[in-house]
Amino acid sequence: MKTGRFHLFAALVFSLWLGTGVSPVAYAEDILYGPSPKERMHQYAAPGDRQWRELTLELPPYPDPARLRGGELVITGAQLTYQLDVDSIRVDADEVVRYAIVITSSTGARNVFYEGIRCQTAEYKSYAYGSQGKWSAAVYPRWQSIGQIGSSSHRRELFLYYFCNEYHRPVTRDQVLARLINPYRIEGGRP
């Protein structure tokens, strides 16, 4: 057996030994950098799935500073603090994980958003932004691909490690909260 084939065979045996054959991060990387969202929607749809429809949106109460959970979303190179409002996190029947997030710069400037992440297509939508203790609806909310870097880095982190499983489906709200408490216990590990 040639060396290259042996390494491939050894990697296959090792990955099967782990139980899944492919790591959850590999699945997520495929969805982030693979086909377009529309192609992906059909690629991962189960036979007999109906056309996806987004639920009517209801904005949650404005985030209470006492209920913000921060420090867990560590993004390398970011000079921002990300805090999720745990009361706003919900996983709805349309399989969108919705949440309020407060992003604070090192100078103290704050941005508050109410967003949703769709695991099946690796997309996000900003529904509203917050200012002076109240929500303002986004003018033209639309689904956008989660980027690799820049302003979407927190969304990528939430998609990969907190909100979605290796099958591009959202985890339960309880699982999201458990992952926020201890992100290093996620199945499949974390880089």
Side-chain angles (χ1 to χ4, degrees):
M1 185 180 283
K2 294 184 178 180
T3 304
R5 287 183 181 168
F6 174 75
H7 290 294
L8 180 61
F9 177 74
L12 177 63
V13 168
F14 181 73
S15 65
L16 290 173
W17 177 75
L18 290 175
T20 62
V22 180
S23 76
V25 173
Y27 276 111
E29 294 292 336
D30 173 57
I31 202 170
L32 283 172
Y33 312 121
S36 72
K38 285 188 179 182
E39 293 170 327
R40 214 178 290 121
M41 188 166 51
H42 298 293
Q43 179 180 356
Y44 295 107
D49 275 359
R50 293 179 295 171
Q51 182 70 20
W52 178 80
R53 293 186 198 272
E54 187 172 10
L55 296 177
T56 304
L57 176 69
E58 293 181 28
L59 292 175
Y62 198 78
D64 176 2
R67 296 288 296 159
L68 295 177
R69 182 169 307 276
E72 292 85 358
L73 295 178
V74 178
I75 299 172
T76 307
Q79 296 181 353
L80 303 169
T81 301
Y82 301 89
Q83 296 175 299
L84 288 171
D85 175 13
V86 294
D87 291 334
S88 72
I89 297 170
R90 48 189 249 210
V91 181
D92 290 322
D94 60 1
E95 295 192 336
V96 174
V97 182
R98 294 181 175 87
Y99 60 96
I101 189 166
V102 178
I103 305 171
T104 308
S105 74
S106 57
T107 62
R110 291 170 48 124
N111 289 303
V112 183
F113 299 98
Y114 185 63
E115 300 182 325
I117 288 182
R118 190 161 176 231
C119 297
Q120 186 177 18
T121 59
E123 294 176 301
Y124 76 94
K125 183 189 267 191
S126 292
Y127 297 105
Y129 62 91
S131 179
Q132 299 177 356
K134 59 184 173 181
W135 291 116
S136 296
V139 178
Y140 297 110
R142 62 183 168 82
W143 289 102
Q144 302 175 64
S145 290
I146 295 173
Q148 300 175 35
I149 57 173
S151 63
S152 283
S153 57
H154 70 281
R155 296 175 188 112
R156 182 178 185 272
E157 183 86 359
L158 292 169
F159 170 80
L160 286 173
Y161 303 113
Y162 297 93
F163 292 170
C164 307
N165 67 22
E166 65 271 21
Y167 304 108
H168 311 295
R169 298 289 187 210
V171 297
T172 66
R173 184 178 189 282
D174 288 340
Q175 288 173 312
V176 170
L177 296 176
R179 289 175 175 193
L180 286 169
I181 292 168
N182 191 356
Y184 295 97
R185 294 190 60 207
I186 298 172
E187 299 82 24
R190 178 189 166 126

